[in-house]
């Protein structure tokens, strides 16, 4: 794919994720179900964090394309290395995990991840933008541009560190949520089991990703 075409694609993807992230973080406060957004708000959800992750990735990708277009190859090389590391370690695995795990749990019991109380708050298009479109866009990135992947050990260490930070943040909110039986961190009563299942799934996904 031509560099100019890639630049346009990455720019559009960046604008798209910025728009989606803005939309979900600017829901009217009075419309938010208190049991869903209690303690930590939207920032305890991997789905929301992934939107910002994708915006950062496509922003970096667009910057790399621009630097290549203006022949700043030395700077572009450094940015491209960061782009490839970000994509292979976080952007692709997290998008894949968010899409597959959400719709799997949704099919089993939607109350685990997306209570019916959210139907009147989050539009259908926004739900699919957060949980469905992320995977096709990640796959399109693979087809559009070859990436250099890090060593398996390095990638797993970096991903493990980020996963540890996220799980720590979720568990930090857990003691307070236990005091409110009606609250949920993608269903409070199942949070420990869900996080354990998510870690196992992520580990298996990454093993296949770097093999």
């Amino acid at each position: 794919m031509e560099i100019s075409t890639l630049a346009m694609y990455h720019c559009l993807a960046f604008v798209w994720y910025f728009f989606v992230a803005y939309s979900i973080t600017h829901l009217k406060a009075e419309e938010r179900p208190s049991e869903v957004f209690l303690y930590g708000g939207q920032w305890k959800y991997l789905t929301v964090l992934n939107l910002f992750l994708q915006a950062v990735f496509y922003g970096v990708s667009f910057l790399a394309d621009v630097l290549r277009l203006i022949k700043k190859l030395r700077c572009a090389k450094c940015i491209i290395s960061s782009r490839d590391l970000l994509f292979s370690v976080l952007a692709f695995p997290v998008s894949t995990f968010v899409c597959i795990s959400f719709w799997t749990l949704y099919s089993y019991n939607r109350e685990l991840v997306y209570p019916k109380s959210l139907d009147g708050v989050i539009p259908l298009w926004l739900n699919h933008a957060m949980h469905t479109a992320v995977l096709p866009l990640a796959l399109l990135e693979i087809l559009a541009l070859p990436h250099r992947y890090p060593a398996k050990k390095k990638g797993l260490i970096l991903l493990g560190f980020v996963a540890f930070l996220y799980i720590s943040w979720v568990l930090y909110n857990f003691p307070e949520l236990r005091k409110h039986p009606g609250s949920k961190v993608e269903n409070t009563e199942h949070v420990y089991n869900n996080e354990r299942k998510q870690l196992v799934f992520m580990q298996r996904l990454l093993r296949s990703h770097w093999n």
Side-chain angles (χ1 to χ4, degrees):
M1 188 179 292
E2 295 292 332
I3 299 178
S4 57
T5 305
L6 278 174
M8 182 177 297
Y9 160 65
H10 286 142
C11 181
L12 290 174
F14 168 75
V15 172
W16 166 251
Y17 275 114
F18 183 86
F19 170 71
V20 174
Y22 178 87
S23 298
I24 192 63
T25 55
H26 285 77
L27 292 173
K28 294 181 180 179
E30 61 271 16
E31 296 180 350
R32 301 178 183 181
S34 58
E35 73 275 7
V36 177
F37 295 101
L38 185 68
Y39 294 104
Q42 297 157 321
W43 304 107
K44 62 176 172 280
Y45 296 108
L46 186 60
T47 296
V48 177
L49 296 176
N50 180 53
L51 295 176
F52 286 90
L53 169 64
Q54 299 304 317
V56 170
F57 165 71
Y58 283 105
V60 172
S61 298
F62 177 62
L63 176 60
D65 296 335
V66 171
L67 290 174
R68 292 174 66 191
L69 284 172
I70 63 177
K71 307 300 182 180
K72 298 289 185 179
L73 299 182
R74 181 174 299 180
C75 295
K77 185 177 181 180
C78 179
I79 299 299
I80 289 172
S81 297
S82 300
R83 178 202 67 192
D84 290 346
L85 182 64
L86 184 61
F87 178 75
S88 58
V89 172
L90 290 177
F92 177 76
V94 174
S95 290
T96 303
F97 171 71
V98 165
C99 180
I100 294 178
S101 63
F102 175 83
W103 289 112
T104 299
L105 292 174
Y106 186 96
S107 299
Y108 173 71
N109 182 355
R110 67 168 295 174
E111 292 298 319
L112 294 175
V113 290
Y114 199 80
K116 290 184 178 180
S117 58
L118 290 177
D119 286 344
V121 179
I122 300 178
L124 182 62
W125 73 266
L126 187 53
N127 179 26
H128 283 290
M130 295 188 298
H131 299 115
T132 307
V134 291
L135 180 54
L137 286 174
L139 294 174
L140 181 59
E141 175 67 19
I142 293 178
L143 297 175
L145 182 66
H147 293 272
R148 297 186 63 182
Y149 300 102
K152 182 187 297 185
K153 183 177 180 180
K154 179 181 179 181
L156 289 174
I157 289 175
L158 291 174
L159 179 63
F161 176 72
V162 175
F164 171 78
L165 292 179
Y166 172 69
I167 298 301
S168 298
W169 167 238
V170 172
L171 297 181
Y172 171 78
N173 290 283
F174 189 74
E176 292 298 327
L177 288 162
R178 290 285 292 180
K179 300 176 184 178
H180 301 267
S183 63
K184 294 182 178 67
V185 178
E186 308 219 32
N187 195 316
T188 310
E189 295 179 358
H190 299 274
V191 67
Y192 280 133
N193 288 334
N194 283 350
E195 295 301 338
R196 184 172 56 191
K197 291 176 183 178
Q198 290 172 2
L199 287 175
V200 172
F201 177 85
M202 183 69 78
Q203 183 183 38
R204 292 176 179 175
L205 174 66
L206 286 170
R207 283 178 178 174
S208 62
H209 181 55
W210 275 299
N211 281 337

